[in-house]
Amino acid sequence: MLKELYIKNLAVIREAVIPLTDKLNIFTGETGAGKSILINGINAVLGQRCSKDIVRTGCDKAVITALFTNLSRDVVNKLDELGITHENDEITVTREISADGGSVARINSRTSSASVLKEIGSMMINIHGQHDNQVLMDSDRHMGILDGFGGDDRLLEEYRITFRELQSTARRLGDIKKQEKTRVERLRYLREIIDDVSELELQEGEEESLEKEYSAAKNSERTILAIKGAVQALNGEDAANDMIVSAENEISALVDDSAEISALYDRISAVEIEISDISSELEKIADRAELDGQRLEYLRKRLGEINKLKRKYAVDYEELVKMYEDACTEITKLENGDNEISELSEKREQLLHKVTEQAKALYDYREKTAQQFVSRVTAELEFLNMSGVILAVRHEKGKLTVNGMDTIEFLISANKGEEPKPISKIASGGELSRIMLALKSVIADRDSIDTMIFDEIDTGVSGKAAQKIGIKLREIGKVRQVICVTHLSQIAVMADNHLMIEKKIMNDRTETSVTVLDFEGRTAEIARIMGGDSPSSLMLKTAEEELRKAEEI
């Protein structure tokens, strides 16, 4: 709860210490006395945006400090999560607004951010201003109000888990189907790679080995050609051996006539024999080399096939081998795409069935909740002097959304015999205020927020209706701290803690003070509200009687 509020140099408030109780705290004062400044100060410590214009003229900065005690377990857990120390379940929250437009936020003297103040503040205080009645005018907000009244969000949480899983599965399935054409084309390309490369049965490092062997084989080819040329020169047509044989024949008849010619003849015969031997040896070498020539042709063909694929895919040998390996891996995944589509389709159907059943259960729960809601709120409205009002909940089934299959809208009939219609079309300002108060009343014991602030809850009401609002605020104050700004005496008399906001002229400057009123002070203030300044003794007596009656209620 908000135990104490300290304000310094905030607009017309020079300095004020405002103590609050854990029940119904009422602020009253003349129009323009500064009641709205009080709400602005609370908004500031709740992390709301602040204008430098609220800094008191001539001052460097405005300071607002709030002391919160008896923190709820949710708030304590959030503080622990944020690493903010706290003792005895209490914290101080400070907001400084500089005249130059800057601001500083602190929690327990530790510098913080406005966003952290807002996050924590939203868990400690709920401010209801006149503009909050617009929540009732927006049918999209009605489901949240109904669920807040129900108080049990387990069905909704379970439904949302399944719904989001269904969304995720449907998106994945959609993505895969969109990629199907690309997948087919990719499969065709990968199969082509695999067919091309697998036919060659490439081995790592094979190209380098082939090229070395091919280079050596090329030398063998040159050897074969040279040997064959030599054999041809020795034994072929017009070859050396034939010419030697011819020379031998020419001088053979002269051998017996000349010892010298005979010696030369013997030498020619020896050359013939030598050339025949050389030719024979060369032919043997050539025959052996012919085997290397077959290998050379294989090597030439093999390297040609490899180079053809390298040119086709614009890669080197190592990249070609890796491309083949990658293609084998990828094609396995892509060929399983049909299986994944089948599996995801089946999963989607299962989730759709599950989420539909959960949505039906959620619908049934909300249907029962709506009946209880109508009963409770109608009773509150009757108490708030709206006995002729009929409240209904239009609850219909629609498409599945993150909130279920429900569409919910609050309807009212303000006049007997009239069919209930949307609140946004027929409710007046005063009716909206009382409907909102009725809603706040029925969820007060379900809400974990300790402090409720009502600003101008009395708009558009008076007389007995205003009295009923006051009684209802006191009733809520039994389970929650309530802070209310009002200009109606019927509400003010119900206060457990009555504070007066008063504007005075001090040293030629306007200052606003906040004073906790005792019974006598309350009597005077109630009389002023009822009859204006300088109330008569009769008005004072009436005010006292109203306060006494309020004590007995």
Side-chain angles (χ1 to χ4, degrees):
M1 59 167 276
L2 178 57
K3 180 72 172 180
E4 184 178 274
L5 189 67
Y6 170 78
I7 297 175
K8 184 175 183 179
N9 298 328
L10 184 67
V12 293
I13 300 179
R14 183 178 62 81
E15 188 171 28
V17 177
I18 305 169
L20 299 163
T21 68
D22 60 354
K23 295 183 179 180
L24 175 58
N25 302 269
I26 296 287
F27 288 86
T28 61
E30 295 181 358
T31 301
K35 295 188 293 294
S36 62
I37 297 172
L38 174 69
I39 300 299
N40 288 339
I42 294 176
N43 275 323
V45 294
L46 294 181
Q48 301 298 324
R49 296 184 64 178
C50 299
S51 169
K52 64 180 181 180
D53 296 333
I54 66 174
V55 178
R56 184 171 172 81
T57 302
C59 299
D60 294 334
K61 63 182 179 180
V63 179
I64 308 99
T65 298
L67 170 62
F68 292 93
T69 62
N70 300 321
L71 302 178
S72 70
R73 179 50 46 191
D74 289 343
V75 174
V76 169
N77 290 339
K78 176 57 66 173
L79 291 171
D80 291 339
E81 178 185 324
L82 295 171
I84 298 173
T85 58
H86 53 87
E87 294 181 0
N88 302 320
D89 285 339
E90 66 178 40
I91 57 171
T92 57
V93 180
T94 300
R95 188 81 180 274
E96 296 180 2
I97 301 98
S98 300
D100 61 7
S103 71
V104 176
R106 293 188 180 90
I107 300 178
N108 287 344
S109 300
R110 170 185 163 181
T111 302
S112 185
S113 65
S115 61
V116 170
L117 258 60
K118 184 181 293 186
E119 185 176 9
I120 296 175
S122 65
M123 301 174 68
M124 296 190 295
I125 294 182
N126 180 293
I127 297 182
H128 170 74
Q130 190 172 355
H131 68 280
D132 291 308
N133 290 336
Q134 299 306 309
V135 171
L136 292 173
M137 307 289 277
D138 183 0
S139 59
D140 291 339
R141 308 282 291 275
H142 293 177
M143 184 183 295
I145 295 174
L146 184 66
D147 286 346
F149 170 78
D152 186 355
D153 56 2
R154 287 175 298 178
L155 287 176
L156 179 58
E157 288 178 353
E158 291 170 0
Y159 167 84
R160 282 176 171 168
I161 290 172
T162 308
F163 181 80
R164 291 190 175 105
E165 187 178 1
L166 173 62
Q167 283 183 313
S168 177
T169 302
R171 278 195 298 268
R172 174 62 181 158
L173 183 59
D175 290 342
I176 292 177
K177 287 184 175 179
K178 285 179 182 178
Q179 296 167 1
E180 183 63 16
K181 183 178 180 181
T182 303
R183 187 178 74 91
V184 171
E185 293 175 351
R186 182 67 176 170
L187 278 169
R188 187 182 300 115
Y189 175 69
L190 294 173
R191 289 191 182 106
E192 183 179 358
I193 293 174
I194 292 170
D195 290 343
D196 285 346
V197 180
S198 62
E199 187 176 346
L200 293 182
E201 297 182 351
L202 297 178
Q203 304 296 320
E204 187 173 349
E206 181 185 3
E207 184 185 40
E208 183 180 358
S209 176
L210 288 173
E211 287 177 342
K212 286 181 180 179
E213 187 179 355
Y214 179 72
S215 178
K218 286 285 286 182
N219 292 331
S220 296
E221 184 180 37
R222 287 194 295 271
T223 300
I224 292 170
L225 292 174
I227 291 173
K228 286 185 176 181
V231 171
Q232 181 66 26
L234 293 174
N235 289 332
E237 187 178 353
D238 297 329
N241 197 48
D242 289 342
M243 295 172 69
I244 290 171
V245 170
S246 177
E248 184 182 20
N249 291 334
E250 289 291 337
I251 65 171
S252 63
L254 303 175
V255 170
D256 294 335
D257 299 332
S258 172
E260 185 178 5
I261 291 174
S262 177
L264 291 172
Y265 177 84
D266 291 341
R267 288 174 66 187
I268 291 173
S269 295
V271 169
E272 178 192 356
I273 295 170
E274 182 69 17
I275 288 175
S276 294
D277 288 343
I278 290 171
S279 179
S280 178
E281 291 295 327
L282 287 173
E283 285 177 345
K284 290 178 181 179
I285 293 172
D287 289 340
R288 292 198 305 269
E290 284 289 349
L291 297 175
D292 293 336
Q294 293 175 5
R295 179 64 178 173
L296 176 65
E297 185 58 31
Y298 165 77
L299 294 173
R300 183 184 290 114
K301 182 180 178 181
R302 178 73 171 169
L303 287 170
E305 290 171 340
I306 291 173
N307 287 328
K308 183 179 178 180
L309 283 186
K310 285 164 60 178
R311 288 192 299 272
K312 179 177 180 178
Y313 296 107
V315 294
D316 61 24
Y317 184 82
E318 289 74 16
E319 290 171 336
L320 185 64
V321 173
K322 187 175 188 307
M323 184 174 69
Y324 170 77
E325 294 171 349
D326 291 345
C328 291
T329 301
E330 184 179 353
I331 201 169
T332 301
K333 293 180 180 179
L334 290 177
E335 287 176 339
N336 289 332
D338 291 336
N339 293 335
E340 188 174 7
I341 289 175
S342 176
E343 290 171 0
L344 286 173
S345 297
E346 183 178 353
K347 182 179 180 181
R348 181 185 61 180
E349 291 305 313
Q350 292 173 349
L351 288 171
L352 182 59
H353 175 73
K354 181 179 179 181
V355 82
T356 301
E357 292 302 310
Q358 288 176 324
K360 290 177 181 177
L362 186 58
Y363 179 91
D364 293 341
Y365 166 75
R366 283 173 172 156
E367 185 68 19
K368 295 178 182 178
T369 301
Q371 295 172 7
Q372 299 170 3
F373 178 80
V374 168
S375 176
R376 288 283 306 277
V377 176
T378 297
E380 296 294 336
L381 291 175
E382 288 178 354
F383 177 80
L384 292 171
N385 216 38
M386 296 179 69
S387 57
V389 170
I390 297 174
L391 176 71
V393 176
R394 179 186 288 161
H395 187 197
E396 299 174 343
K397 292 181 179 179
K399 65 179 183 180
L400 294 172
T401 71
V402 71
N403 293 314
M405 62 168 60
D406 313 70
T407 57
I408 289 174
E409 184 175 16
F410 298 156
L411 311 175
I412 65 166
S413 170
N415 300 298
K416 188 175 183 179
E418 295 290 332
E419 286 294 320
K421 296 179 181 178
I423 288 178
S424 59
K425 295 183 178 179
I426 61 174
S428 66
E431 288 170 334
L432 285 174
S433 294
R434 281 180 282 174
I435 293 171
M436 181 56 77
L437 180 58
L439 294 178
K440 296 284 186 180
S441 178
V442 298
I443 65 174
D445 57 350
R446 291 172 164 82
D447 199 344
S448 63
I449 298 177
D450 290 329
T451 301
M452 302 174 70
I453 298 178
F454 293 91
D455 183 22
E456 300 187 14
I457 189 67
D458 54 12
T459 299
V461 297
S462 59
K464 190 174 182 180
Q467 183 186 36
K468 292 295 185 70
I469 288 176
I471 295 172
K472 184 53 61 180
L473 289 173
R474 177 185 281 180
E475 183 178 309
I476 296 174
K478 293 179 181 179
V479 293
R480 290 284 182 273
Q481 180 187 42
V482 178
I483 299 171
C484 179
V485 177
T486 185
H487 63 275
L488 295 180
S489 62
Q490 296 95 323
I491 295 177
V493 295
M494 297 296 172
D496 295 299
N497 181 37
H498 190 164
L499 303 101
M500 182 177 67
I501 301 175
E502 187 176 16
K503 185 164 59 178
K504 300 176 181 179
I505 303 298
M506 302 287 290
N507 298 322
D508 295 327
R509 289 202 63 179
T510 301
E511 289 188 9
T512 291
S513 62
V514 181
T515 306
V516 178
L517 299 177
D518 56 15
F519 187 83
E520 184 178 350
R522 293 190 69 194
T523 301
E525 175 62 3
I526 297 299
R528 182 199 64 76
I529 295 173
M530 291 190 296
D533 294 335
S534 303
S536 64
S537 57
L538 179 59
M539 188 63 69
L540 288 169
K541 184 177 181 180
T542 301
E544 183 178 348
E545 290 175 353
E546 291 300 317
L547 285 169
R548 299 293 185 192
K549 289 179 183 178
E551 290 176 351
E552 296 174 0
I553 294 176

